[in-house]
Amino acid sequence: MRLYSAEALLVDVLDLHDRDRIVAFLTREHGLKRGVAQGARRRYSRFAGQLQPLAKAEITWFEKDGRDLVRVRGVELLRPAHRLQADLEGLLLGSYLADHVLQFAQENEASDHLYRLLDSTIEALLAGAPRDLAARYFETWVLRLQGIFPPPRECPLCGRPFGAGGAVLPMDGDALVCVDCAAGAAGTRVGREVLDALLRFGRLDLGKLAAAPPGEAALRQIEALCARLRRRFLGHELKSWEVIQEARARLPG
Ligand SMILES: [Zn+2]
């Protein structure tokens, strides 16, 4: 049995029986880990108040060869995430971010980029960054880190830069192509404003983006594009995304 310790971001906390909890957490060095926090459901547990989704914590755990679940020994909260847990929209957004990590993170593999992306996105949200913008930035970057959705500079088929005409995501395609290469094929037309926003996502952090954010229409189209590419890659939709769409449809206006 070996003892480990690392700074981590909690992505999931589930009840296990009536005493324990299962915690999923992302680390830079070891990727995604899942562990049992024994006794965490008890009233006077040493984990009391520490196991908050999206919080940053110093986590200490034991690993045994051949076991998928580690045993969590200690959790020391470094940055709570109360602000994201205070209202329904924040909760839904939090579970959306966490869902990406649960689907895309590698277990037991260094995950420095994904860690930094999640860490900086949560940090920005806690500091008051616009939630819609942060969600679009995060989902775009998760796909980018997988190599699925590169910054749209040029057409992957003909190599020419996307001009004023924008790009097209063909119905059966998994990449944006230029209008000429799309040549009348059915697909989603992606205008210049959206391409420019996606290019800015690659250059600027959330703080700078928030100073001059893309418009509502561009954000909705980025969300739809990411959802299509993600669905194609995973073979299914993220549950939290569906819940967010339902909640949005019920909102007035
Ligand atoms: Zn082309």
Side-chain angles (χ1 to χ4, degrees):
M1 197 138 73
R2 287 218 285 164
L3 183 65
Y4 295 83
S5 186
E7 187 187 285
L9 296 161
L10 277 70
V11 286
D12 203 17
V13 182
L14 293 169
D15 291 343
L16 176 69
H17 313 307
D18 48 0
R19 284 209 311 262
D20 308 332
R21 292 206 154 100
I22 290 193
V23 190
F25 54 98
L26 182 69
T27 68
R28 294 171 195 274
E29 306 87 345
H30 312 280
L32 184 67
K33 307 294 295 184
R34 291 172 207 271
V36 179
Q38 286 175 337
R41 298 193 67 194
R42 289 195 168 144
R43 198 159 167 198
Y44 300 107
S45 160
R46 65 203 144 109
F47 298 115
Q50 308 284 299
L51 303 181
Q52 307 167 8
L54 299 188
K56 177 147 80 172
E58 184 75 23
I59 299 189
T60 315
W61 71 93
F62 288 110
E63 279 189 35
K64 222 176 190 176
D65 284 343
R67 295 269 179 90
D68 287 341
L69 283 176
V70 305
R71 182 152 68 82
V72 178
R73 190 178 81 161
V75 177
E76 192 191 324
L77 211 53
L78 299 174
R79 184 186 62 205
H82 298 302
R83 190 172 176 159
L84 270 174
Q85 311 285 316
D87 58 279
L88 179 64
E89 189 198 54
L91 282 168
L92 292 176
L93 172 56
S95 68
Y96 184 62
L97 303 184
D99 241 6
H100 278 83
V101 175
L102 294 168
Q103 291 289 331
F104 287 96
Q106 300 291 318
E107 299 196 15
N108 304 315
E109 258 181 47
S111 303
D112 192 47
H113 291 298
L114 186 59
Y115 186 92
R116 278 194 285 147
L117 174 63
L118 181 62
D119 189 30
S120 63
T121 303
I122 296 170
E123 182 80 36
L125 283 166
L126 293 174
R131 287 170 168 181
D132 196 10
L133 175 67
R136 307 301 62 94
Y137 179 82
F138 183 81
E139 69 199 358
T140 301
W141 264 104
V142 167
L143 297 179
R144 221 166 256 190
L145 292 179
Q146 302 293 319
I148 305 169
F149 195 25
R153 292 197 184 88
E154 69 270 323
C155 171
L157 296 180
C158 67
R160 284 180 296 171
F162 293 123
V168 179
L169 179 62
M171 283 306 286
D172 57 351
D174 53 10
L176 295 173
V177 299
C178 74
V179 179
D180 292 336
C181 287
T188 308
R189 186 71 176 260
V190 182
R192 198 58 245 181
E193 192 201 355
V194 171
L195 296 181
D196 287 340
L198 290 168
L199 290 170
R200 289 175 69 227
F201 280 12
R203 289 197 309 267
L204 303 175
D205 63 24
L206 267 171
K208 293 203 178 76
L209 286 168
E216 162 78 15
L219 292 175
R220 293 285 68 74
Q221 204 176 352
I222 290 168
E223 180 179 26
L225 282 173
C226 286
R228 250 186 74 186
L229 292 166
R230 188 176 59 224
R231 206 156 43 226
R232 197 174 160 86
F233 181 79
L234 292 173
H236 62 86
E237 189 48 86
L238 294 180
K239 184 73 199 149
S240 54
W241 189 82
E242 290 172 342
V243 174
I244 288 171
Q245 302 310 307
E246 285 163 23
R248 204 181 277 157
R250 283 202 301 272
L251 284 176

